[in-house]
Amino acid sequence: MRIRAGILVVGLILWPCVGEAQLRVRDLVVTGGVAAEGYSGNLAAVTIAVVDSTDSAAAAVGEFSSRLDLEHISADARSRLRMAFDLGLRQFAATGFKVRDYAPREWVGSGEAVFSRAMSSWGSITGVVSFKGRWVEDRPPMPLFLQPGYSQIRAGAQVNLVRSAQFDLDFGFHGRREDYRATDPVKQLDLLGRNALSLEGGVSWRGGARGELRFFTTFERSEYPQQGSFEPDDPLRLDHTFRTGLTWTRFADEIDVILGLEGTLNRSNSRRPEYDAVALRGEVSIPLWWDLGMDVYTVITGKSYLFETDFARLVPGEEADNASVAYVTFTRPLAPNLDAALRVGWTRAETDIGDQYYERYGLTLLFNYRPTIR
């Protein structure tokens, strides 16, 4: 399976940085749960062979996942290697379609290795290599949108410069390759594959031990080898994306707050995918009574395309790319190694058809088990 192979590659690339050192397990968690989800939005089923879209659909979902975090710190405490691996499975039982009921199965996996080293008093250098993949069986039509199967490899480096006790500067670059898996009925998914290179710079200001404000700017160049631009002199699609924004973080009195504002301009030699977007993000963690904790996560996004077209636009990005999302999660420990989480969620996201959206409502119950490691 490509997911397992990619995770193995990540480990082999970073292993020389560790040598004979012993990795410490920072976290090992096994998660299982069930969910009820509802979907709405009657859209053309252009990505599957049978046109079976409907106004609304529902699904019962069972899920299982595991996460492993490893860490090694050098003897002089100046070098640090962290590795994280995730594997997950979601099984759906969907209803509400006209021709038949679907039973999609979604496999996901990821691996990431981050190596950082403090360079005297002037700052630090960080390198990262990661892989993630997804495989979907029996992908259903709209409005039950599941992102198609794909694999992604990403690598990059970042330099952090400490200018004073209050100010930091950072700049870095990342390259990635995304390959969408196209089967016989959905050959057009090949069009979504891309190669991207991004450059980012930021400045951070710390107003205290628990607060930070960061301004950042990112430029990304994306090539789509399988997409045409409809320009004879420049036949292959090439996008340039500019993002800028700020993030404010505050950790105090057991209440954690993260607020962010980001603007995006995407320009292309193909008129179809050019758009402007703005997103407001907020995260709050609050302790409640009876050992309960509450986490709120919200992203409100507005997006508009510069040009209207009469045909479907295939657009890049994750399932929730340029989406509006809201989650409220309540957690409570049940035993020393076991906790439960109840999550209520809503998503309004763009599909792989440009400027076409679906809505998802969900109620999820999860159990997280952390085995004792000696």
Side-chain angles (χ1 to χ4, degrees):
M1 183 181 290
R2 295 184 184 180
I3 292 176
R4 295 176 182 173
I7 293 176
L8 179 61
V9 168
V10 171
L12 292 176
I13 291 176
L14 269 293
W15 189 252
C17 299
V18 184
E20 300 297 327
Q22 181 70 33
L23 288 175
R24 178 177 67 92
V25 178
R26 298 183 68 252
D27 193 20
L28 172 60
V29 56
V30 179
T31 300
V34 293
E37 298 181 349
Y39 300 78
S40 62
N42 187 15
L43 307 175
V46 300
T47 57
I48 66 169
V50 179
V51 177
D52 191 14
S53 59
T54 183
D55 290 319
S56 61
V61 187
E63 58 182 277
F64 176 85
S65 64
S66 61
R67 177 179 175 85
L68 173 64
D69 287 347
L70 304 172
E71 182 181 55
H72 168 69
I73 301 176
S74 63
D76 59 4
R78 295 179 59 184
S79 298
R80 182 189 302 264
L81 172 65
R82 293 186 61 182
M83 302 180 70
F85 302 94
D86 280 284
L87 290 174
L89 165 67
R90 289 204 301 166
Q91 176 65 60
F92 294 73
T95 61
F97 295 97
K98 299 175 182 178
V99 176
R100 68 178 178 91
D101 291 333
Y102 293 80
R105 181 179 295 116
E106 182 182 46
W107 301 85
V108 294
S110 66
E112 181 180 65
V114 181
F115 180 77
S116 59
R117 180 167 178 83
M119 307 299 291
S120 185
S121 61
W122 61 263
S124 63
I125 297 177
T126 301
V128 59
V129 178
S130 67
F131 169 88
K132 63 180 178 179
R134 177 193 306 264
W135 181 269
V136 181
E137 301 175 59
D138 197 24
R139 189 177 181 227
M142 296 306 300
L144 204 166
F145 177 77
L146 295 178
Q147 185 186 4
Y150 73 98
S151 60
Q152 180 193 96
I153 298 176
R154 178 174 175 265
Q158 179 174 308
V159 176
N160 291 77
L161 303 177
V162 179
R163 309 305 299 169
S164 69
Q166 286 77 36
F167 287 95
D168 290 352
L169 297 176
D170 64 83
F171 58 91
F173 69 92
H174 291 87
R176 73 179 185 274
R177 176 179 175 83
E178 295 178 354
D179 181 21
Y180 283 79
R181 299 187 181 96
T183 57
D184 289 339
V186 285
K187 284 294 187 181
Q188 58 266 46
L189 291 181
D190 269 336
L191 302 179
L192 291 172
R194 63 172 170 173
N195 304 315
L197 177 65
S198 62
L199 305 174
E200 179 170 318
V203 56
S204 300
W205 175 78
R206 289 181 295 275
R210 299 184 176 181
E212 181 178 283
L213 180 65
R214 179 175 184 263
F215 296 88
F216 65 90
T217 297
T218 303
F219 175 77
E220 183 172 273
R221 182 181 187 271
S222 302
E223 297 178 344
Y224 296 79
Q226 305 299 324
Q227 285 197 47
S229 66
F230 300 97
E231 295 291 338
D233 297 333
D234 193 11
L236 297 180
R237 176 182 164 186
L238 176 65
D239 284 18
H240 295 93
T241 306
F242 176 78
R243 298 184 182 91
T244 188
L246 58 88
T247 302
W248 178 70
T249 305
R250 178 69 174 173
F251 303 108
D253 302 324
E254 297 184 330
I255 299 177
D256 302 336
V257 180
I258 301 176
L259 298 176
L261 178 65
E262 179 179 309
T264 302
L265 302 177
N266 191 75
R267 298 297 181 262
S268 174
N269 60 351
S270 174
R271 286 163 48 107
R272 300 173 298 163
E274 293 190 313
Y275 66 85
D276 300 331
V278 61
L280 176 64
R281 178 170 64 95
E283 299 180 53
V284 180
S285 296
I286 305 174
L288 301 177
W289 308 274
W290 306 301
D291 292 330
L292 281 173
M294 182 177 72
D295 297 312
V296 180
Y297 176 80
T298 304
V299 178
I300 304 299
T301 302
K303 179 179 182 180
S304 62
Y305 284 92
L306 270 64
F307 303 100
E308 296 294 333
T309 61
D310 296 329
F311 51 90
R313 291 182 288 245
L314 292 174
V315 298
E318 298 292 325
E319 173 185 346
D321 185 28
N322 303 120
S324 294
V325 182
Y327 289 102
V328 180
T329 305
F330 298 93
T331 59
R332 188 180 189 280
L334 302 179
N337 294 20
L338 180 67
D339 64 75
L342 181 66
R343 176 181 298 167
V344 180
W346 167 81
T347 300
R348 181 180 183 269
E350 191 171 29
T351 70
D352 43 3
I353 311 169
D355 209 20
Q356 298 294 324
Y357 291 79
Y358 73 97
E359 290 189 84
R360 176 176 58 196
Y361 308 87
L363 178 65
T364 305
L365 177 62
L366 297 173
F367 295 93
N368 301 305
Y369 173 66
R370 289 177 167 83
T372 301
I373 300 175
R374 297 180 181 178

